[in-house]
Amino acid sequence: MATDTAGSVKAKALELGFDSVGITDLSPPPHGDVLRQWIADGMAANMGYMPRQAKRRLDPSLIFPGATRVVVATKNYFLEDGGPANGQAGKVARYARGKDYHHSIGERLSELADHILGVGDDSTIARTYVDAGPVPERELAQRAGLGWIGKNTMLIDPKAGSFFFIASVFTNLDLAVDAPFALDHCGSCRRCIEACPTQAIVSERVVDARLCISYLTIESKEGHPAELQSLMGDLVFGCDICQDVCPWNVKFAEPPQNQWLRQNYGLEWVELEQFATMEEAAFDQKYGTTPLERPGLKGMKRNVETAKKNQRDTK
Ligand code: B12
Ligand code: SF4
Ligand code: SF4
């Protein structure tokens, strides 16, 4: 019975437009020590939620009390880069070039949760998470068989690369679990480590957020450290460099077949000069429903200043 039910849940996830799906239990992830050390070394920078959530990340059975299984699904967000910069624009990472993904993925995850509740009985529970909450998403995805964790710390699917989101539904439905993804296909490759402009991949599978352009442009509330500014180029929101160079993306990354994640996907380059005089109301109207909302107008003005300085310096 558990296997058939798991099959129906997986079929539903794929029907909803997720690209891959697997199931695992909620026992502690095997690399908890890596998280503990990362926090102890200060690599979480000012992301206070990481130490706050650590206990639940280290013991996922605490995340949604009563749950015994997690259905982990991925959603491809890859799209080809368009033309080059015109010298007056800043680049936005691929995952953020349209409407905020939390909503569109959340809607479909809720449908998956409803399906789980429908095949269960009155005692069945289900709760959804996508990039919010104390879920060790990559560890659970690896254990659910969806890929391996590369030296750039990304979960990599050998058939699709790493340009995808990870989403999950926690439940107490007795679903058959999948085998963990056993292999590590990085081999002797070190391209991501060598390509990172700020040397933020401080050792294999460890990213120091204090050095990572993604952290500096999205999560940080402070000014950019002087010694890193010139290394940040024209990146004004996030960074894809350690994924762009990965041979698994070079070979296998393809745009998704269905387009539901791609609402208003026009944000590859943002015009820099507009931010000089932009006020909150205008920012909200233009970017309020996009991921750029996270750093907000203040954070984007800071990012744009660094990009403008770098563009001036390269002229
Ligand atoms: C904090 C965070 C960040 C921070 C820190 C990144 C980091 N590497 O830790 C910052 C702001 C820098 C960041 C950047 C980005 N992020 Co982010 N981020 C997160 C978040 C919220 C937590 C990650 C975390 O736990 N970090 C702590 C460190 C210690 O954990 P970790 O790197 O994942 O390492 C674990 C495993 O690798 C494992 N491990 C270590 N060694 C080994 C060895 C083996 C063999 C195995 C199996 C496991 C293993 O142990 C660690 C502890 O559990 C997750 C969402 C979530 N809820 O989990 C998204 C998440 C990881 N981010 C995501 C994305 C898309 C990005 C960016 C690409 C965005 C961008 N374009 O700018 C970049 C990529 C940068 C990079 N190379 O990691 C996706 C990744 C999807 C994927 N395919 O892997 C996630 C899962 C969000 C989502 N739901 O889709 N992020
Ligand atoms: S996202 Fe950019 S800055 Fe961060 S580790 Fe990857 S290449 Fe380095
Ligand atoms: S670039 Fe090479 S080392 Fe880095 S994640 Fe990809 S395969 Fe692994």
Side-chain angles (χ1 to χ4, degrees), residues 61-120:
S61 70
L62 301 174
I63 294 172
F64 180 38
T68 53
R69 294 285 185 270
V70 55
V71 180
V72 190
T74 67
K75 181 63 202 152
N76 173 359
Y77 63 76
F78 181 75
L79 77 173
E80 303 282 357
D81 275 348
N86 62 7
Q88 294 166 330
K91 194 167 194 180
V92 174
R94 286 195 176 85
Y95 83 94
R97 292 178 188 167
K99 199 176 161 197
D100 191 337
Y101 56 93
H102 290 96
H103 305 299
S104 32
I105 294 187
E107 278 168 18
R108 276 154 182 94
L109 266 190
S110 297
E111 284 188 54
L112 184 59
D114 287 345
H115 177 83
I116 290 172
L117 294 172
V119 295

Side-chain angles (χ1 to χ4, degrees), residues 148 150-152 156 185-186 189-192 242 245-248:
W148 81 99
K151 291 180 190 172
N152 57 7
I156 307 175
H185 289 296
C186 284
C189 175
R190 290 175 55 85
R191 282 193 210 180
C192 51
C242 58
V245 298
C246 178
W248 296 90

Side-chain angles (χ1 to χ4, degrees), residues 150-161:
K151 291 180 190 172
N152 57 7
T153 77
M154 301 303 292
L155 186 85
I156 307 175
D157 175 334
K159 293 191 290 302

Side-chain angles (χ1 to χ4, degrees), residues 37-60:
Q37 194 59 50
W38 186 78
I39 292 171
D41 289 344
M43 291 189 192
N46 290 333
M47 294 181 288
Y49 59 89
M50 290 305 294
R52 271 200 307 281
Q53 296 174 346
K55 195 171 164 199
R56 285 167 291 166
R57 286 175 176 271
L58 293 166
D59 181 359

Side-chain angles (χ1 to χ4, degrees), residues 265-297:
Y265 243 70
L267 263 188
E268 179 179 354
W269 296 100
V270 293
E271 210 250 306
L272 299 179
E273 285 308 327
Q274 61 173 331
F275 287 96
T277 52
M278 191 179 264
E279 295 190 355
E280 291 289 350
F283 180 81
D284 272 2
Q285 200 191 14
K286 195 160 181 186
Y287 298 117
T289 60
T290 76
L292 272 53
E293 226 266 316
R294 179 117 177 129
L297 179 59

Side-chain angles (χ1 to χ4, degrees), residues 152 192 195-201 207 211-214 235 239-243:
N152 57 7
C192 51
C196 174
T198 54
Q199 299 181 3
I201 309 174
V207 167
L211 300 174
C212 178
I213 296 167
S214 182
L235 303 177
C239 171
D240 286 331
I241 293 171
C242 58
Q243 297 191 84

